[in-house]
Amino acid sequence: DKVFCAVHLGKRQVEALRSKDRKHNFNRLSFAQRKYRQRFGDIKKRFKVKIDIKKFCKKLVGNNELIKINYYISPLNQETNPEQYLEQQKFFDGLRKINNLNIILGRLEKRKRDGEIYYVEKASDVNLALDLVLDAQKDIYDESYLISNDGDFSGAVNSAINFGKKIIYIAIGNRKSISHYLKNVASRTFYITE
């Protein structure tokens, strides 16, 4: 089978993973989206886990053919935080060395609430949903792994399944934090719990 994988780590999943050393649970990651200003390097530091996307992908697909890895992320602003920007660019350089990996860029939008400035990631989730559905329609993959608890993906998952694809929902966190919408539409659900 041809395998396409999707990861969407939200704040709750990051918190669940932060609670324990979850080295064994990261072995299913293959294409990831940065959300809530979390960077892959930050995850490595916070969870004290060495993450090797290439190894994750190989473990995930087993004997199946991994056709592509998409990493969804919004680039940091160089002027806002030059140190983090430089770290992210080094991370991108490492990603570019991985075969079949594409970096799909979203954007960060500046917002202000109660006098505090914060950034919201935009377009990464839309890009992921579009790839999931359009690649299913084009018959590019047979099976996809979606690591996310964002119920907003349930429509895209349902559409991909309607094209005859298997979508495996990888739920991270406790049973209360998972998306029951995704669980109800996915072909299968695999839990990574506390």
Side-chain angles (χ1 to χ4, degrees):
D1 286 345
K2 300 175 289 182
V3 179
F4 175 72
C5 306
V7 177
H8 179 269
L9 291 176
K11 188 174 183 179
R12 288 184 186 150
Q13 295 81 38
V14 170
E15 291 296 324
L17 293 170
R18 185 180 298 150
S19 67
K20 291 184 179 180
D21 181 3
R22 299 237 171 242
K23 183 175 182 178
H24 64 283
N25 290 334
F26 282 101
N27 64 0
R28 294 194 173 263
L29 302 181
S30 69
F31 93 71
Q33 174 193 23
R34 190 179 72 85
K35 184 130 175 138
Y36 300 102
R37 297 176 62 185
Q38 296 295 324
R39 292 175 298 109
F40 211 78
D42 287 342
I43 293 170
K44 283 171 64 173
K45 288 177 191 171
R46 288 183 182 163
F47 308 137
K48 298 177 183 169
V49 174
K50 291 184 179 180
I51 298 171
D52 183 330
I53 292 177
K54 187 175 181 179
K55 285 182 183 177
F56 295 159
C57 295
K58 286 183 179 182
K59 180 137 180 140
L60 175 67
V61 302
N63 293 328
N64 294 320
E65 176 189 4
L66 178 63
I67 56 165
K68 71 176 174 178
I69 304 163
N70 287 356
Y71 191 95
Y72 293 82
I73 191 166
S74 293
L76 297 172
N77 184 318
Q78 186 174 9
E79 294 156 8
T80 305
N81 193 329
E83 186 178 307
Q84 282 188 351
Y85 173 82
L86 183 60
E87 286 179 35
Q88 186 184 53
Q89 293 306 306
K90 288 178 185 177
F91 177 65
F92 286 170
D93 290 342
L95 289 178
R96 288 184 185 103
K97 294 176 183 176
I98 299 172
N99 289 338
N100 298 331
L101 188 138
N102 306 300
I103 299 171
I104 311 297
L105 297 176
R107 67 182 183 277
L108 291 177
E109 290 186 1
K110 189 176 184 178
R111 303 280 169 89
K112 190 173 183 178
R113 179 185 292 160
D114 298 327
E116 291 195 34
I117 295 174
Y118 64 99
Y119 293 86
V120 176
E121 186 170 23
K122 303 300 280 183
S124 293
D125 52 354
V126 173
N127 290 334
L128 189 154
L130 284 170
D131 285 345
L132 191 67
V133 174
L134 295 176
D135 287 357
Q137 181 184 27
K138 295 175 189 173
D139 200 28
I140 290 176
Y141 68 90
D142 300 312
E143 186 173 279
S144 176
Y145 289 79
L146 175 61
I147 302 174
S148 174
N149 286 349
D150 188 341
D152 290 347
F153 287 122
S154 60
V157 168
N158 194 45
S159 294
I161 289 171
N162 286 338
F163 285 113
K165 305 308 172 188
K166 293 178 189 171
I167 309 297
I168 294 85
Y169 165 39
I170 308 300
I172 299 173
N174 61 43
R175 301 263 176 183
K176 292 179 183 177
S177 66
I178 68 161
S179 170
H180 295 285
Y181 296 109
L182 285 176
K183 180 183 168 198
N184 289 335
V185 298
S187 305
R188 275 192 339 252
T189 300
F190 176 81
Y191 296 95
I192 299 175
T193 59
E194 295 183 61

